[in-house]
Amino acid sequence: MSIIDYLRTSAEVIEKSATSEIADATGKAIEWMTEAAGNNAPILVCGNGGSAADAMHITGELVGRFLKERKALNCICLSANPAILTAWSNDYEYETVFSRQVEAHGTKGGVIIGLSTSGNSANVVNAFAEARRAGMKTIGLTGEGGGRMAEHSDALIAVPSKSTPLIQQVHICLYHYLCEQVEARVFADAP
């Protein structure tokens, strides 16, 4: 496949993602994230592999800045602390490494964003279950169908593809939009 074909294929998946279902789920996510941020409730983010890197990217945009000079938001990446990840996984199990952190940081009114291209990452599914017990909203960014995360997501943003790299490319577009909109709404008076 040439680069031209690859970019056209990427553009097709982005185009297929421009649906009312994704728009509605994204709208709910923005509303809940804005409310959490406005109340200084936590926004927790997690994922594995490339999705772990995306989770760190989201956290960097919300704690640091996206487009505006403004105060930091209460956002924690659950896949960014190697001491917690390795200690808990070694002593207990990897499947609960995120839910344990939700137990530590999650509060009613908070939000968790989980990224999994298959939607079947057990540690993300378990984190969502723990988040719901804590009274948090769950936002799933997945691939086609949503996998096991579908039933645990209050807002499911499922990219219509089964190709991991293409799903991740659309996830970047989606979470950049989430960050832009949350920042604009929470800091409407900032330049």
Side-chain angles (χ1 to χ4, degrees), residues 41-130:
I43 298 172
L44 308 179
V45 194
C46 61
N48 298 287
S51 294
D54 287 333
M56 288 191 295
H57 188 164
I58 294 167
T59 305
E61 303 291 15
L62 295 176
V63 171
R65 65 181 287 276
F66 190 70
L67 297 174
K68 294 184 172 214
E69 295 298 332
R70 41 86 176 169
K71 72 176 198 144
L73 297 178
N74 182 6
C75 187
I76 301 168
C77 180
L78 304 181
S79 46
N81 187 324
I84 294 171
L85 293 174
T86 57
W88 189 261
S89 298
N90 183 62
D91 295 346
Y92 295 95
E93 61 187 352
Y94 191 65
E95 288 77 15
T96 57
V97 74
F98 298 145
S99 60
R100 181 65 170 184
Q101 294 178 77
V102 172
E103 183 182 341
H105 303 294
T107 61
K108 186 176 173 101
V111 171
I112 185 168
I113 302 168
L115 297 101
S116 171
T117 58
S118 69
N120 293 318
S121 297
N123 54 9
V124 179
V125 171
N126 290 334
F128 274 30
E130 183 63 32

Side-chain angles (χ1 to χ4, degrees), residues 24-42:
D24 290 346
T26 302
K28 289 178 187 174
I30 292 165
E31 177 185 327
W32 298 331
M33 291 171 68
T34 300
E35 186 174 330
N39 294 323
N40 200 36

